[in-house]
């Protein structure tokens, strides 16, 4: 089999866990992120453990031409990419007006812009006669505005809406589109987002990246629209949908205010 699963942000966290999950099901991998050393280590482990083919590419998805470079690389290597996992993402917790604008625009660049570009290039450059798959990693943050993580929550609402719309458009073209919306997951996300203190207070609610990856990958293969891993997160998502925002948003603000 020459079919490949392309995973962005595969060097750590949820992306790395999805890579392991896909490999355990015999999928070949194309792993991308900036940290080449981490990608090479993971690739070597996956080849040994699962006897699959793995390619790695170091790219910075802040750069708008990165998606084109990734698919050019896949094309030159003759990889049949039929599955895209749009996972790379970042967040930041702080007051919007006191936080560097460039940082906030980078969050939009990575979480929104690069995800849209990756999906578009994937759909135009891969074989449309086969079934294809897109898993977009959103978040429970998509379900309500989150003060002090305003840009992050808005970016994930975009991804959820983007996924649902795309899913409907692409149904006749045999493309499965799923949004994976995890709650708090044990990864390095919170260190970079300056949220370690908030995480310590909510440590009992965290899931492992491996659990989240399994739920997400299963949902993609079953062609689910949106999947929220963990019953606590499911309840939270339903409450956020049903309860008016003038009640939910102040509660979110209490959790995220430092
Ligand atoms: N952790 C959570 O609680 C949680 C909850 C809900 C949703 N999510 C979402 O899950 C996804 C993965 O997050 P995570 O928790 O696994 O975070 P993480 O451990 O910080 O991993 C982020 C991944 O994205 C890659 N990345 C970051 N900037 C990049 C760039 N400019 N170009 C290419 N790759 C880049 C990183 O690799 P390099 O640094 O090597 O480039 C890394 O592989 C994100 O979309 C996040 O929003 C996370």
């Amino acid at each position: 089999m020459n079919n490949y699963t392309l995973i962005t942000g595969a060097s750590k966290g949820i992306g790395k866990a999805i890579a392991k999950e896909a490999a355990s099901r015999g999928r070949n991998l194309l792993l991308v992120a900036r940290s080449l050393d981490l990608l090479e280590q993971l690739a070597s482990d996956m080849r040994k453990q699962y006897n699959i083919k793995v390619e790695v590419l170091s790219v910075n998805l802040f750069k708008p031409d990165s998606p084109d470079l990734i698919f050019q690389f896949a094309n030159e290597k003759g990889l049949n990419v039929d599955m895209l996992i749009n996972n790379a993402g970042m967040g930041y917790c702080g007051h919007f007006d006191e936080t560097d604008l460039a940082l906030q625009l980078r969050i939009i660049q990575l979480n929104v812009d690069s995800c849209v570009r990756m999906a578009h290039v994937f759909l135009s450059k891969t074989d449309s006669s086969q079934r294809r798959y897109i898993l977009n990693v959103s978040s429970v943050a998509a379900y309500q505005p989150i003060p002090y993580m305003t840009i992050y929550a808005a970016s994930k609402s975009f991804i959820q809406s983007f996924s649902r719309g795309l899913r409907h458009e692409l149904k006749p073209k045999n493309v499965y589109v799923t949004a994976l919306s995890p709650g708090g997951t044990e990864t390095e996300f919170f260190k970079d987002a300056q949220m370690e203190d908030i995480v310590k207070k909510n440590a009992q609610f965290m899931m492992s990246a491996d659990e989240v990856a399994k739920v997400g990958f299963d949902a993609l293969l079953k062609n689910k629209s949106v999947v929220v891993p963990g019953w606590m997160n499911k309840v939270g998502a339903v409450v956020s949908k049903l309860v008016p925002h003038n009640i939910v948003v102040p509660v979110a603000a209490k959790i995220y205010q430092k």
Side-chain angles (χ1 to χ4, degrees), residues 7-18 32-39 57-63 66 70 86-91 106 109-111 114 136-141 152 155-156 159 180-193 195 199 206-207 209 212 229:
I7 304 170
T8 68
S11 59
K12 305 170 204 162
I14 294 172
K16 180 177 177 181
I18 293 176
V32 304
R34 292 167 301 181
S35 314
L36 187 59
D37 50 341
L38 296 181
L39 293 178
L57 185 65
S58 170
V59 288
N60 184 350
L61 286 166
F62 291 144
K63 296 187 182 164
S66 289
I70 294 167
N86 253 330
N87 162 76
M90 63 184 285
R106 277 202 301 279
Q109 176 69 44
L110 185 64
N111 296 10
S114 86
N136 292 315
V137 181
S138 176
S139 166
V140 289
Y152 179 74
S155 77
K156 293 302 182 180
I159 293 303
L180 167 62
S181 298
T185 308
E186 289 154 6
T187 70
E188 291 180 24
F189 176 91
F190 301 100
K191 198 168 90 196
D192 296 340
M195 293 174 67
V199 165
M206 301 282 269
M207 289 180 73
V212 168

Side-chain angles (χ1 to χ4, degrees), residues 76-248:
E76 282 164 9
K77 294 259 177 191
L79 316 181
N80 178 27
V81 177
D82 66 340
M83 191 180 268
L84 167 65
I85 314 291
N86 253 330
N87 162 76
M90 63 184 285
Y92 186 80
C93 189
H95 290 255
F96 171 74
D97 59 341
E98 294 167 14
T99 302
D100 182 25
L101 178 61
L103 168 59
Q104 310 209 46
L105 294 176
R106 277 202 301 279
I107 296 174
I108 298 172
Q109 176 69 44
L110 185 64
N111 296 10
V112 175
D113 192 286
S114 86
C115 181
V116 171
R117 286 176 194 275
M118 286 298 297
H120 200 270
V121 185
F122 169 70
L123 291 166
S124 57
K125 298 275 187 226
T126 58
D127 177 5
S128 59
S129 67
Q130 62 186 341
R131 171 170 298 153
R132 292 176 292 171
Y133 304 82
I134 300 175
L135 182 68
N136 292 315
V137 181
S138 176
S139 166
V140 289
Y143 289 96
Q144 70 290 297
I146 301 183
Y148 316 111
M149 289 202 80
T150 298
I151 296 295
Y152 179 74
S155 77
K156 293 302 182 180
S157 287
F158 176 97
I159 293 303
Q160 197 119 316
S161 174
F162 172 62
S163 269
R164 285 184 187 274
L166 211 56
R167 173 183 172 78
H168 187 86
E169 280 189 44
L170 295 172
K171 211 174 273 179
K173 298 185 175 169
N174 198 17
V175 184
Y176 288 8
V177 183
T178 298
L180 167 62
S181 298
T185 308
E186 289 154 6
T187 70
E188 291 180 24
F189 176 91
F190 301 100
K191 198 168 90 196
D192 296 340
Q194 315 241 318
M195 293 174 67
E196 279 176 311
D197 290 346
I198 293 168
V199 165
K200 270 183 210 146
K201 281 189 253 163
N202 296 288
Q204 71 272 29
F205 302 120
M206 301 282 269
M207 289 180 73
S208 75
D210 288 348
E211 286 173 291
V212 168
K214 185 173 180 342
V215 171
F217 208 83
D218 276 342
L220 179 62
L221 295 181
K222 289 182 187 151
N223 197 17
K224 301 262 177 177
S225 171
V226 177
V227 64
V228 178
W231 69 268
M232 284 279 287
N233 296 324
K234 281 189 179 62
V235 171
V238 169
V239 168
S240 293
K241 268 202 273 190
L242 297 180
V243 178
H245 277 175
N246 62 352
I247 298 173
V248 169

